[in-house]
Amino acid sequence: MTIPTKIWLSWQDPMTGETRTPHLSPPVALGREFNKMPQDYQGQRVSRLVLSSSQVSRYHAIIAVEKGQLQIIDHNSSNGLFVNGQRQTQAVLNHRDVVKVGPYDMTVLTQDPGQNTARRSSANSFIRVPDPHSDEVPAPPSVGSPANPFPPAEFQVQQVSVQSLYATRLPVEEVDYAAIGAGLGSFIWTDFLRLSGVGIQQIRALGLEDKPYARYQRLCLNSQIPAWERLRSNSDSCPDNLWGWPSYALREAYRNFAKGNLKLAARVIWQVFGEPTLIETYTPRSGNVFASIDREAQRIGWSKIYRYGRVRSIRKTNDGRYAVGFSSGRGQHAFLVGRYVHLCTGYPVIQFLPDLQEYREKTRDFKSVVNAYEAHNHVYDYLERHGGTVLIRGRGIVASRVIQRIHEARAKNPNISILHLMRSPRPQGNKFGHAQRTVENHFEFQPFNWPKACWGGTLRAQLEQASPSERSNLLTDWGGTTTADRQDWRDLINRGLNQGWYHITFGEVTRVEPGADGHPITYIQEKGLTGNLKLEANFIIDATGLDGKVKANPLLDDLVTHYHLPLNPVGRLAVSNDFELLEMRNQMGRMYAAGAITFGGPYAAVDSFLGLQYSALKSVDGLVQARAPNLTYLNGVSSFLQWLKWVNNRAP
């Protein structure tokens, strides 16, 4: 046996979902704290690999050559060591063995993975979120041309003169509050401002779609959650209702009661009181969520606040405000100047597995290999007419809904089967303290993708008080890929396994190539096989999720680069506990951020409904302390009066 002088450890980060494949020289120490791992082992310099999780001991294990073989040795770790799903204290490692250390499932590679690994870690492993609107139309020669680019040269300075903006003779609008994104985060922040006394003319929201939920709705529809289907993630809070009462559940129960459906009404109420221990967790139908937001948008005057615009750049002004340069379509450009800015741009890209991205780029086949967040109804239409096989990558909430949708297609055509490809078995769920998630059929279950205490309990307070490095440990332990714990879903998987139309396969993808019939063939290296296993399918669906990294968003990348803004340990905007970008403070001017672009900060579920409401509440509280104009705290009396207006659908 040849003793490897180099190894590669490949894993998907349990917090961000990003693939990492560092190139290391044995011996390699694995642990949570760099200084607790040895510098030398048997006279050799040690490569120390830090894994951010409290489930990983300070010095957990070491990979070294022992008796002429590559071995991994547990160093009295608290949570143990697993090799290929079996707990071990010491084990020989071979090419493509899977080592589990805490929440990290690492594939050991003793051969150079070559170009595939380079692509896996590439920043190009994504596709843009589908956008039905585009203002990428060539501008007239006088505006935005190479001779007169937009944003103009004035935006290259640290502080822009407002007078210089007017000198461009482009439209300039001045307001107090500017919401950048015009999605759900912008809408919720605007709603808080309106309820707290700010007038319509003081606020502007810039974005590409007039419905604040348009992008979210499109992602729901693409991932097979139509209006009558229930959402698959936390939806305890109501974006249309600051007070949360009556909740979606109470409203749905009331509608069922009014229609005489007493059994359905009682079930909804019981879900609220019995979830998640006695009954599965309640989530609303997506159509009800969007209808309620439409009602609130009309009530607060959203149509007068919203402006169509693709924001190009944001700069501080020399009078303590911020200048926002945006394109309003067909080569038209303008500026918005505001003293208080709120950034919530959502997920800029869809995370796409590199080997599948490479396949699409090479074959130009965008029908057989799709992402679950792309429009791909043609897959289900084909299956219902002709039958076939679908290969699914990913095992989170979106994957569970795709499997359920394929099961629904089987009612029309039973000649449909699913191959579910997973990188490695899941022997046990994540742990934190005395709690541990359950695992069944290699799916890790949780009512949502975070523990409930992250939203408003003790874990939220713990995260807020933690240092940036401590937050990384906590988020790794609380996060990870989970599937909603629903009995109907668990029964569906067990039925599929027993009936033979659903199969789980483990292995590392080596390549994806078109077959003779044009369908994609996935080649994987399976444990115990010397060659590649060939998986043939009519379609491949990538259900690995979305990507919120700042560098993937041109606007945020420009802002971070221009003002040298710090990023947090997971590559998102570093914000204070009230979600302010402190480095962007400009005299009395304040800039806040919310949503996925703040992940890794003071709140775990930043992209949930409640996360957006929580960040809006914290930032508005900060603005009140900064004495922002026409903004007052909602005390008991004023809050109750505003609630009465909400109930009666009257403007704030």
Side-chain angles (χ1 to χ4, degrees), residues 216-242:
Y216 179 67
Q217 181 185 44
R218 188 162 58 253
L219 293 174
C220 283
L221 291 172
N222 290 347
S223 58
Q224 304 307 300
I225 304 178
W228 59 87
E229 268 290 337
R230 297 190 181 277
L231 299 175
R232 289 299 193 273
S233 57
N234 176 269
S235 45
D236 283 345
S237 66
C238 313
D240 69 302
N241 179 0
L242 162 66

Short mmCIF file of all heavy atoms in Angstrom, two decimals, residues 216-242:
data_model
loop_
_atom_site.label_atom_id
_atom_site.label_comp_id
_atom_site.label_asym_id
_atom_site.label_seq_id
_atom_site.Cartn_x
_atom_site.Cartn_y
_atom_site.Cartn_z
N TYR A 216 -40.40 35.77 -3.38
CA TYR A 216 -40.65 34.66 -2.47
C TYR A 216 -41.74 33.75 -3.02
O TYR A 216 -41.63 32.51 -2.98
CB TYR A 216 -41.05 35.21 -1.10
CG TYR A 216 -41.35 34.16 -0.06
CD1 TYR A 216 -40.34 33.33 0.43
CD2 TYR A 216 -42.64 33.99 0.44
CE1 TYR A 216 -40.62 32.36 1.38
CE2 TYR A 216 -42.92 33.02 1.39
CZ TYR A 216 -41.91 32.22 1.86
OH TYR A 216 -42.18 31.25 2.79
N GLN A 217 -42.79 34.34 -3.57
CA GLN A 217 -43.86 33.55 -4.17
C GLN A 217 -43.35 32.72 -5.34
O GLN A 217 -43.69 31.55 -5.50
CB GLN A 217 -45.00 34.46 -4.63
CG GLN A 217 -46.17 33.73 -5.24
CD GLN A 217 -47.21 34.68 -5.79
OE1 GLN A 217 -46.87 35.66 -6.47
NE2 GLN A 217 -48.47 34.43 -5.51
N ARG A 218 -42.48 33.33 -6.16
CA ARG A 218 -41.95 32.62 -7.32
C ARG A 218 -41.08 31.43 -6.88
O ARG A 218 -41.16 30.35 -7.47
CB ARG A 218 -41.14 33.58 -8.19
CG ARG A 218 -40.70 33.01 -9.52
CD ARG A 218 -40.30 34.11 -10.49
NE ARG A 218 -39.24 34.95 -10.01
CZ ARG A 218 -39.39 36.20 -9.58
NH1 ARG A 218 -40.58 36.78 -9.57
NH2 ARG A 218 -38.35 36.90 -9.16
N LEU A 219 -40.28 31.63 -5.84
CA LEU A 219 -39.47 30.53 -5.33
C LEU A 219 -40.35 29.43 -4.74
O LEU A 219 -40.05 28.24 -4.86
CB LEU A 219 -38.48 31.04 -4.29
CG LEU A 219 -37.38 31.98 -4.81
CD1 LEU A 219 -36.56 32.52 -3.66
CD2 LEU A 219 -36.49 31.28 -5.82
N CYS A 220 -41.44 29.83 -4.09
CA CYS A 220 -42.39 28.85 -3.56
C CYS A 220 -43.00 28.03 -4.69
O CYS A 220 -43.06 26.79 -4.63
CB CYS A 220 -43.50 29.53 -2.77
SG CYS A 220 -43.02 30.08 -1.12
N LEU A 221 -43.46 28.71 -5.73
CA LEU A 221 -44.09 28.01 -6.85
C LEU A 221 -43.10 27.08 -7.53
O LEU A 221 -43.42 25.94 -7.88
CB LEU A 221 -44.66 29.02 -7.85
CG LEU A 221 -45.87 29.83 -7.37
CD1 LEU A 221 -46.21 30.92 -8.37
CD2 LEU A 221 -47.07 28.92 -7.15
N ASN A 222 -41.87 27.56 -7.73
CA ASN A 222 -40.86 26.73 -8.39
C ASN A 222 -40.52 25.50 -7.56
O ASN A 222 -40.26 24.43 -8.11
CB ASN A 222 -39.60 27.54 -8.66
CG ASN A 222 -39.80 28.59 -9.73
OD1 ASN A 222 -40.80 28.57 -10.46
ND2 ASN A 222 -38.87 29.52 -9.83
N SER A 223 -40.50 25.65 -6.24
CA SER A 223 -40.19 24.52 -5.37
C SER A 223 -41.44 23.74 -4.99
O SER A 223 -41.46 23.02 -3.99
CB SER A 223 -39.43 24.99 -4.12
OG SER A 223 -40.19 25.95 -3.41
N GLN A 224 -42.49 23.91 -5.80
CA GLN A 224 -43.72 23.11 -5.71
C GLN A 224 -44.54 23.38 -4.46
O GLN A 224 -45.09 22.47 -3.84
CB GLN A 224 -43.38 21.62 -5.84
CG GLN A 224 -42.62 21.27 -7.11
CD GLN A 224 -43.32 21.79 -8.36
OE1 GLN A 224 -44.45 21.42 -8.64
NE2 GLN A 224 -42.66 22.68 -9.09
N ILE A 225 -44.65 24.67 -4.09
CA ILE A 225 -45.56 25.08 -3.02
C ILE A 225 -46.55 26.07 -3.62
O ILE A 225 -46.35 27.28 -3.54
CB ILE A 225 -44.80 25.71 -1.83
CG1 ILE A 225 -43.74 24.74 -1.30
CG2 ILE A 225 -45.77 26.07 -0.71
CD1 ILE A 225 -42.91 25.29 -0.16
N PRO A 226 -47.62 25.59 -4.26
CA PRO A 226 -48.64 26.48 -4.82
C PRO A 226 -49.49 27.10 -3.71
O PRO A 226 -49.26 26.85 -2.51
CB PRO A 226 -49.46 25.55 -5.71
CG PRO A 226 -49.29 24.20 -5.09
CD PRO A 226 -47.90 24.17 -4.51
N ALA A 227 -50.48 27.88 -4.09
CA ALA A 227 -51.27 28.66 -3.12
C ALA A 227 -51.95 27.79 -2.07
O ALA A 227 -52.10 28.20 -0.93
CB ALA A 227 -52.30 29.51 -3.87
N TRP A 228 -52.37 26.58 -2.44
CA TRP A 228 -53.11 25.74 -1.50
C TRP A 228 -52.19 24.88 -0.64
O TRP A 228 -52.65 24.24 0.31
CB TRP A 228 -54.08 24.84 -2.26
CG TRP A 228 -53.42 23.94 -3.25
CD1 TRP A 228 -52.90 22.70 -3.03
CD2 TRP A 228 -53.17 24.22 -4.63
NE1 TRP A 228 -52.34 22.18 -4.17
CE2 TRP A 228 -52.51 23.09 -5.18
CE3 TRP A 228 -53.46 25.30 -5.48
CZ2 TRP A 228 -52.12 23.02 -6.52
CZ3 TRP A 228 -53.08 25.22 -6.80
CH2 TRP A 228 -52.42 24.11 -7.31
N GLU A 229 -50.88 24.86 -0.94
CA GLU A 229 -49.95 24.07 -0.15
C GLU A 229 -49.45 24.88 1.04
O GLU A 229 -49.36 26.10 0.98
CB GLU A 229 -48.76 23.63 -1.00
CG GLU A 229 -48.92 22.28 -1.66
CD GLU A 229 -48.87 21.14 -0.66
OE1 GLU A 229 -48.31 21.31 0.43
OE2 GLU A 229 -49.40 20.06 -0.99
N ARG A 230 -49.06 24.16 2.07
CA ARG A 230 -48.55 24.85 3.27
C ARG A 230 -47.05 25.09 3.16
O ARG A 230 -46.32 24.27 2.58
CB ARG A 230 -48.86 24.02 4.52
CG ARG A 230 -50.36 23.87 4.75
CD ARG A 230 -50.69 23.27 6.10
NE ARG A 230 -52.12 23.13 6.24
CZ ARG A 230 -52.94 24.11 6.63
NH1 ARG A 230 -52.44 25.30 6.92
NH2 ARG A 230 -54.24 23.91 6.73
N LEU A 231 -46.61 26.19 3.72
CA LEU A 231 -45.18 26.50 3.73
C LEU A 231 -44.44 25.46 4.54
O LEU A 231 -45.00 24.84 5.45
CB LEU A 231 -44.95 27.90 4.31
CG LEU A 231 -45.60 29.05 3.53
CD1 LEU A 231 -45.40 30.36 4.27
CD2 LEU A 231 -45.04 29.14 2.12
N ARG A 232 -43.16 25.29 4.23
CA ARG A 232 -42.38 24.23 4.87
C ARG A 232 -41.40 24.76 5.91
O ARG A 232 -40.56 24.03 6.39
CB ARG A 232 -41.61 23.45 3.80
CG ARG A 232 -42.50 22.58 2.92
CD ARG A 232 -43.24 21.52 3.76
NE ARG A 232 -43.85 20.50 2.94
CZ ARG A 232 -45.07 20.59 2.40
NH1 ARG A 232 -45.79 21.69 2.60
NH2 ARG A 232 -45.58 19.60 1.70
N SER A 233 -41.47 26.04 6.22
CA SER A 233 -40.53 26.59 7.20
C SER A 233 -41.31 27.42 8.21
O SER A 233 -42.53 27.54 8.13
CB SER A 233 -39.48 27.45 6.50
OG SER A 233 -40.10 28.47 5.76
N ASN A 234 -40.58 27.97 9.18
CA ASN A 234 -41.26 28.68 10.26
C ASN A 234 -42.12 29.81 9.74
O ASN A 234 -41.69 30.62 8.95
CB ASN A 234 -40.23 29.25 11.23
CG ASN A 234 -40.90 30.07 12.32
OD1 ASN A 234 -41.06 31.25 12.17
ND2 ASN A 234 -41.30 29.42 13.39
N SER A 235 -43.36 29.85 10.19
CA SER A 235 -44.28 30.93 9.80
C SER A 235 -45.20 31.26 10.96
O SER A 235 -46.39 31.48 10.81
CB SER A 235 -45.09 30.51 8.56
OG SER A 235 -45.56 29.19 8.70
N ASP A 236 -44.63 31.24 12.18
CA ASP A 236 -45.40 31.62 13.36
C ASP A 236 -45.83 33.08 13.30
O ASP A 236 -46.92 33.44 13.75
CB ASP A 236 -44.57 31.42 14.63
CG ASP A 236 -44.49 29.95 15.02
OD1 ASP A 236 -45.29 29.17 14.48
OD2 ASP A 236 -43.63 29.60 15.85
N SER A 237 -44.95 33.93 12.78
CA SER A 237 -45.26 35.36 12.73
C SER A 237 -45.97 35.70 11.44
O SER A 237 -45.98 34.92 10.49
CB SER A 237 -43.97 36.18 12.86
OG SER A 237 -43.17 35.96 11.72
N CYS A 238 -46.54 36.87 11.41
CA CYS A 238 -47.34 37.31 10.26
C CYS A 238 -46.75 38.60 9.71
O CYS A 238 -46.80 39.63 10.40
CB CYS A 238 -48.79 37.55 10.67
SG CYS A 238 -49.51 36.24 11.68
N PRO A 239 -46.20 38.60 8.49
CA PRO A 239 -45.63 39.83 7.93
C PRO A 239 -46.62 40.97 7.82
O PRO A 239 -46.22 42.13 7.78
CB PRO A 239 -45.15 39.39 6.54
CG PRO A 239 -44.98 37.92 6.63
CD PRO A 239 -46.01 37.45 7.59
N ASP A 240 -47.91 40.65 7.78
CA ASP A 240 -48.94 41.69 7.66
C ASP A 240 -49.40 42.20 9.02
O ASP A 240 -50.21 43.12 9.09
CB ASP A 240 -50.15 41.13 6.92
CG ASP A 240 -50.89 40.09 7.75
OD1 ASP A 240 -50.25 39.09 8.14
OD2 ASP A 240 -52.09 40.27 8.04
N ASN A 241 -48.91 41.58 10.12
CA ASN A 241 -49.51 41.83 11.42
C ASN A 241 -48.42 41.88 12.48
O ASN A 241 -47.94 40.86 12.95
CB ASN A 241 -50.50 40.69 11.71
CG ASN A 241 -51.17 40.82 13.06
OD1 ASN A 241 -50.92 41.75 13.81
ND2 ASN A 241 -52.02 39.87 13.38
N LEU A 242 -48.04 43.10 12.85
CA LEU A 242 -46.99 43.31 13.85
C LEU A 242 -47.30 42.58 15.15
O LEU A 242 -46.41 42.04 15.80
CB LEU A 242 -46.85 44.81 14.10
CG LEU A 242 -46.13 45.27 15.37
CD1 LEU A 242 -44.68 44.86 15.30
CD2 LEU A 242 -46.24 46.77 15.55
#
